[in-house]
Amino acid sequence: MEKVNKYILTAFAIISSGFIAAQEISDTVSDANTGVIDDVSADSIATSTAEVKSPPYKRTKIDGISAVIGDYVILESDVEKALIDLKTQGVSMADVTRCGLLGKLMEDRLYAHQAVQDSLLVSDDEIAAQSDRQLQGLVQQVGSMEKVLKFYRKEDEASLRQEIQKINKLQMLSGKMQQSIVEGIEITPEEVRQFFNKIPESERPVFGAEMEISQIIKQPKATAEEKQHTIDRLNAIKEDIEDNDASFNVKAILYSEGPSKSNGGLLGVITKDSGYDKDFKDVVFGLREGEISEPFETQFGYHIAFVEKIRGQERDVRHIIMQPEISQESMDKAKRELDTIRKHINEGKYTFAAAARNFSDEKETKFDGGLLRNPQDFSSRFELTKMDPALYNQVRNLKDNEVSYPILEEDPRGGASKYKLLQVTNRYDEHTADFSKDYMKIQQLAKTEKQYEAIKKWMDEHIEDTYISVNGSSRDCEFENNWLKAE
């Protein structure tokens, strides 16, 4: 129960940190510093300071206004709720101040305000889809929509959904604006060199111990009969949905074998640039809205896909995935093949890299000699303190160039189980940054600094051009940005 309550409190802090359009309250705010508003419901914002006067004047002190950024208002309660959110997520509060947090909220509102000015809009369907996913997550965590509504003190789902959609719209606008500022920024080798050379030797970053890891994969194969049985099952589900008006969502919950089954097979918004399997995207983008695909195969299994909504180049997609039954005989065969490969590597018949190129079943790594890529920066190095714990436990006791015994691994993305061999091909001790050895890391640092400078320049320019008002005690803050410009 403690875990559930913590989750609710975190979500409440996020959802409650909403905004009110400045125009909506400009005619009713009688005192900008105290936030006294006539005849306004306090349903969705803090009411701990409520003050009601006797008729004929009914005035409710709902909240104080900390700042106004363009068309957005930041209430004092917004800052307090953001603080609660950070605390409930376990974030260290040592360096977090109220003024610093207010400055961050002001940045978000400035991004959103300018996104609207620049026509970087988000569709209502996109906002609704994101809100639906969040509500589904809340209901799953808490147990029912009734419990969620009771916690948020909402009379119905519609009012809660409306508030969540306001928050999501702000966040999406802010994100689009930030992305537009930095998306065209590139870094040249000369800029990387200049960035590195301007760092005093005594202040150069220290990179932790790292290693390079290679793997050879053997994927146990299903028989032709098992594959056809899986296709027949998917065809039967498709037929029931199309002929008998059965629910795709319910069918996914009952029969899908992927992680999306609890959400009715919902994968969310898919674009042609998203990181989904190419074969999967090819099928999805060949479907009409409301159409269900024929069963098709990807590296993860067999699917039927349902395009729920089309918005330009975006698709809201659900799917049902099934794995053909893998016999124990096939599992044992894959393991024996890896045992033989390991034996031959140790005997010097071929190198690990050559074995990966010739025998591995994983196309993403086999042509690079089995070399794994770090998903954080796509380099070949993994810093020990930042490695995936499961991978670290599999390699931590391997000596240099030692080949592991076959390891059985489940696919977290819903694919079939597989066997693999691992080898640590290189180790790097903790060291001060070296330009040639650590070029990719230095390049990323240089690019990050260039992006930061672009954002800072953008922020300074748009603060000057945007209506901004900081109220009350918030004017005593020392902000990083020039929010307290001459008004």
Side-chain angles (χ1 to χ4, degrees), residues 61 192 203-204 226 257 354 391 439 445 465:
K61 181 178 180 182
V192 178
E203 297 178 13
R204 287 177 180 170
E226 285 296 343
E257 297 171 3
L391 179 60
Y439 179 81
L445 291 173
D465 297 338

Side-chain angles (χ1 to χ4, degrees), residues 5 50 54 102-103 124 128 137 143 215 225 271 346 352 367 371-372 375 389 459 462 481 487:
N5 288 338
S54 301
L102 173 60
D124 291 340
Q215 67 180 13
E225 291 78 10
T271 66
N346 289 335
F352 192 99
F367 300 111
L371 192 63
L372 288 173
M459 188 68 63
H462 287 83
N481 295 305
E487 299 172 2

Side-chain angles (χ1 to χ4, degrees), residues 72 104 107-116 120-122 126 167-183 455 458:
Y72 297 100
K104 177 64 174 64
E107 290 178 10
D108 289 340
R109 271 60 176 181
L110 181 59
Y111 288 133
H113 170 78
Q114 193 59 41
V116 174
L120 300 177
L121 306 180
V122 292
E126 187 178 359
I167 306 306
N168 285 334
K169 182 176 182 179
L170 172 66
Q171 293 174 341
M172 290 178 178
L173 287 172
S174 176
K176 281 203 169 186
M177 190 69 249
Q178 292 178 65
Q179 181 62 33
S180 73
I181 298 168
V182 303
E183 64 184 355
I455 287 176
W458 183 95

Side-chain angles (χ1 to χ4, degrees), residues 31-177:
D31 184 337
N33 290 325
T34 61
V36 178
I37 304 174
D38 285 279
D39 297 324
V40 179
S41 171
D43 179 52
S44 62
I45 56 179
T47 57
S48 58
T49 57
E51 174 186 328
V52 181
K53 294 191 175 183
S54 301
Y57 301 105
K58 182 179 180 182
R59 310 182 69 197
T60 305
K61 181 178 180 182
I62 293 179
D63 214 341
I65 297 176
S66 287
V68 179
I69 309 293
D71 293 329
Y72 297 100
V73 165
I74 301 173
L75 302 174
E76 291 175 2
S77 61
D78 292 334
V79 184
E80 298 304 320
K81 291 165 189 172
L83 283 168
I84 292 172
D85 179 27
L86 293 177
K87 289 177 181 177
T88 55
Q89 293 183 58
V91 175
S92 172
M93 305 301 291
D95 298 322
V96 177
T97 65
R98 185 187 182 281
C99 289
L101 194 53
L102 173 60
K104 177 64 174 64
L105 295 178
M106 293 170 75
E107 290 178 10
D108 289 340
R109 271 60 176 181
L110 181 59
Y111 288 133
H113 170 78
Q114 193 59 41
V116 174
Q117 307 305 309
D118 293 350
S119 299
L120 300 177
L121 306 180
V122 292
S123 69
D124 291 340
D125 287 343
E126 187 178 359
I127 296 168
Q130 174 69 8
S131 301
D132 285 344
R133 288 191 291 271
Q134 291 176 336
L135 268 177
Q136 287 172 6
L138 287 169
V139 171
Q140 288 172 10
Q141 290 289 332
V142 177
S144 69
M145 178 59 71
E146 289 72 19
K147 291 181 180 179
V148 174
L149 294 175
K150 182 178 180 181
F151 184 86
Y152 292 125
R153 299 178 182 176
K154 295 294 182 181
E155 293 183 0
D156 52 50
E157 181 180 336
S159 59
L160 176 59
R161 188 181 298 274
Q162 182 180 30
E163 187 165 347
I164 293 176
Q165 288 177 348
K166 285 185 178 181
I167 306 306
N168 285 334
K169 182 176 182 179
L170 172 66
Q171 293 174 341
M172 290 178 178
L173 287 172
S174 176
K176 281 203 169 186
M177 190 69 249

Side-chain angles (χ1 to χ4, degrees), residues 300-319:
F300 304 112
Y302 286 85
H303 314 250
I304 54 173
F306 170 52
V307 174
E308 200 166 54
K309 188 77 174 177
I310 294 178
R311 297 184 302 276
Q313 294 303 307
E314 297 179 342
R315 304 287 189 274
D316 287 347
V317 179
R318 295 180 186 269
H319 82 141

Side-chain angles (χ1 to χ4, degrees), residues 48 82 106 187 262 314 326 341 359 362 395 431 482:
S48 58
M106 293 170 75
I187 193 83
S262 60
E314 297 179 342
I326 305 294
I341 292 171
F359 306 122
E362 186 177 69
V395 300
H431 61 282
N482 186 31

